[in-house]
Amino acid sequence: MFEGISRFVAKRALLKGLKRRAPGSFVYRPENNYYVSEIIESGTERRIIVEDVCDGKIIGRLWNGDKFDDTTEASLDGIRISDVRITRFYGYLRYDYKDALDFWKYELTGIPIFQSAKERLSQSIYNVRFRFRDDRIRVLRKIVSLHLERARANNGLLHDPDELSVVSLASELYGNRIYTHPKREEFFALLRLTLDSLVSSGDLDGDKRGYKINGKALVTLSEYEQEERRHSDSVKQDRKLFWITAAIAAATAMQAYSAFLFG
């Protein structure tokens, strides 16, 4: 009896997954709602991507150690809950179900739908609040920080700067939500121009394939920080001068007022 129930649960999971079978290739989009169904055949341990279920047979492509290739068949009679592996792509989210029971637990409770709605709300808030900054110094500081972070995990004296792509830098600077921002292409173009300008000034080495930090970057940051300190000191001095002038003016006014009353 238990085997019959297990077979029924597994079969229904595969049939539901086949209703929205994923195409051979696709990109992550908000409208995605696909399933990739796989079984690990009991006894033989063969992995099969399921493409159809009919006449008591599972039809699909067999894993050859490198890819799912040759078309094959497997008996539906011996399938169990634990043989089923299903991956669901819902919006930008991915769910890997470890067996048919795990699949039904998530599907019947609607967890993917609620989590996708939460993700869309978070992305909308990010899109509204996000303000792109392509400040050269900020970008340069981030690249130096990444270099030092990686050097700590290696031998600092022998660690050479890693080549960083625009994609990895965008993630480090703005977070992964930048990739679903409606103006992401514009932001990426501005970031590329910022990086190219740092190459032109000698602070970075590289080109569009990747960028590396060099020693001049520290000189540029040091000079910038010195200018910032000078500016801060100047502001402080101007503020002190203002209050001193205001105090003298107030004292003069009080003296003049006293002379007017008692003079």
Side-chain angles (χ1 to χ4, degrees):
M1 180 179 176
F2 176 77
E3 289 183 358
I5 295 174
S6 181
R7 183 165 57 251
F8 175 80
V9 171
K11 179 181 176 181
R12 299 309 300 179
L14 292 177
L15 290 174
K16 180 172 175 58
L18 287 172
K19 289 181 179 179
R20 290 185 175 273
R21 186 161 63 93
S25 62
F26 61 91
V27 297
Y28 281 90
R29 291 175 178 168
E31 59 271 20
N32 283 356
N33 188 10
Y34 303 129
Y35 297 88
V36 176
S37 304
E38 178 186 344
I39 64 166
I40 299 178
E41 191 178 17
S42 301
T44 65
E45 301 301 316
R46 296 193 307 165
R47 291 179 59 194
I48 301 172
I49 284 287
V50 180
E51 296 181 332
D52 197 8
V53 173
C54 62
D55 300 328
K57 295 179 181 179
I58 296 170
I59 302 171
R61 286 176 290 117
L62 181 66
W63 178 253
N64 63 13
D66 182 47
K67 62 180 179 178
F68 290 97
D69 193 9
D70 297 331
T71 300
T72 189
E73 296 180 356
S75 173
L76 192 59
D77 291 338
I79 192 173
R80 298 174 300 179
I81 287 174
S82 59
D83 298 334
V84 175
R85 306 286 189 276
I86 297 179
T87 300
R88 184 175 187 181
F89 298 90
Y90 194 78
Y92 292 107
L93 301 179
R94 168 176 172 160
Y95 299 86
D96 293 302
Y97 303 123
K98 62 183 180 181
D99 56 34
L101 202 59
D102 193 41
F103 170 82
W104 284 117
K105 180 182 71 175
Y106 276 79
E107 292 295 306
L108 293 176
T109 55
I111 290 175
I113 296 173
F114 290 118
Q115 289 186 340
S116 181
K118 179 183 177 183
E119 174 66 20
R120 287 197 298 271
L121 177 61
S122 297
Q123 184 66 45
S124 298
I125 294 172
Y126 173 88
N127 292 345
V128 171
R129 292 182 174 180
F130 178 74
R131 295 293 180 270
F132 180 79
R133 295 173 58 193
D134 58 345
D135 178 67
R136 282 166 47 90
I137 294 299
R138 178 174 180 268
V139 172
L140 199 57
R141 278 176 174 161
K142 186 61 180 181
I143 297 175
V144 170
S145 175
L146 289 173
H147 171 66
L148 296 178
E149 181 181 318
R150 296 179 181 184
R152 282 194 292 270
N154 299 284
N155 187 322
L157 287 173
L158 302 177
H159 179 70
D160 293 324
D162 295 324
E163 187 173 79
L164 303 170
S165 67
V166 177
V167 173
S168 64
L169 285 172
S171 297
E172 293 288 349
L173 286 163
Y174 312 115
N176 290 331
R177 290 193 184 277
I178 187 66
Y179 298 108
T180 50
H181 194 288
K183 293 185 177 181
R184 59 187 176 277
E185 301 302 335
E186 176 184 331
F187 297 154
F188 292 157
L190 289 170
L191 179 58
R192 274 286 309 280
L193 289 174
T194 301
L195 292 168
D196 289 342
S197 75
L198 289 169
V199 172
S200 298
S201 62
D203 298 298
L204 295 180
D205 296 326
D207 52 33
K208 62 183 179 181
R209 293 186 298 272
Y211 300 86
K212 287 184 179 182
I213 199 76
N214 63 43
K216 187 178 182 301
L218 297 181
V219 176
T220 299
L221 290 176
S222 177
E223 291 175 347
Y224 176 82
E225 288 167 359
Q226 287 180 2
E227 287 298 320
E228 285 290 289
R229 283 195 294 270
R230 292 193 188 102
H231 175 70
S232 179
D233 291 343
S234 177
V235 170
K236 290 178 181 178
Q237 289 176 359
D238 289 343
R239 190 178 293 120
K240 288 179 181 178
L241 182 61
F242 168 79
W243 287 114
I244 291 172
T245 303
I248 293 173
T252 302
M254 288 296 296
Q255 187 176 16
Y257 183 66
S258 298
F260 173 75
L261 289 178
F262 306 107

